[in-house]
Amino acid sequence: MSRFDFPKSSPKLFEAMLGLAGKLDDNPRIPRVLRDLVECRVSQINGCSHCLRMHAKSHADHGGDAIKVTMLAVWRAAKGYDEAERAALDWAECLTEAVDQDRISQSYRNLVDHFEADAISELTCIISTMNAWNRLGIAQHELA
């Protein structure tokens, strides 16, 4: 059951959100499978099952390892994630959970070992956009 229909209630804002997502697709400094992993992790943290399902499917469709999606909730203790993936997932968690500035700074220092500034900017936008989509989805949908 839906509380409100965002695309119908605010079509210009919905189009703007889709436009931002399209821009991220047009400028892929972050590999698609990593983007999907990050979007899945952000959606897990936010409790958005719709987005988690959608990005897990996208991850598989783009050749991603299904075990990585399965193990995302415990990625810190799991094998199989490379250092760049770990840095990206840590950054995603820091920004999604809005942890303290010291932890964000520590995460950023680790991130720069694996990504150039333009990729970090794109990754940050991916995380921010996913958080916005999650919150819109959560606000719209009641569980039956």
Side-chain angles (χ1 to χ4, degrees):
M1 173 185 263
S2 220
R3 291 185 184 104
F4 64 96
D5 188 338
F6 175 61
K8 287 184 182 176
S9 300
S10 302
K12 289 182 180 181
L13 296 176
F14 180 71
E15 287 177 31
M17 289 289 293
L18 288 177
L20 178 56
K23 293 294 182 193
L24 289 170
D25 289 339
D26 293 345
N27 199 18
R29 291 179 181 92
I30 301 298
R32 186 63 211 213
V33 292
L34 178 55
R35 177 180 169 183
D36 286 322
L37 276 179
V38 166
E39 290 171 329
C40 283
R41 185 62 186 130
V42 170
S43 296
Q44 281 180 333
I45 293 166
N46 289 327
C48 188
S49 61
H50 172 79
C51 291
L52 178 56
R53 183 179 302 111
M54 179 174 56
H55 292 291
K57 182 180 181 324
S58 177
H59 185 262
D61 290 349
H62 288 99
D65 180 356
I67 296 298
K68 287 184 178 182
V69 172
T70 302
M71 299 301 290
L72 264 178
V74 294
W75 68 268
R76 290 181 191 278
K79 295 179 182 176
Y81 297 94
D82 65 35
E83 290 304 311
E85 290 169 330
R86 290 178 180 283
L89 290 168
D90 187 59
W91 186 241
E93 287 183 2
C94 282
L95 297 183
T96 299
E97 296 169 348
V99 296
D100 66 85
Q101 285 298 314
D102 289 339
R103 173 94 195 299
I104 292 171
S105 293
Q106 178 184 13
S107 182
Y108 180 79
R109 285 190 297 275
N110 187 38
L111 199 63
V112 298
D113 291 340
H114 305 285
F115 299 95
E116 299 294 326
D118 56 351
I120 292 171
S121 180
E122 184 174 313
L123 178 61
T124 302
C125 192
I126 289 166
I127 294 163
S128 300
T129 303
M130 191 72 255
N131 274 295
W133 279 118
N134 287 164
R135 281 152 178 79
L136 285 164
I138 291 165
Q140 287 179 86
H141 301 290
E142 290 185 59
L143 296 177

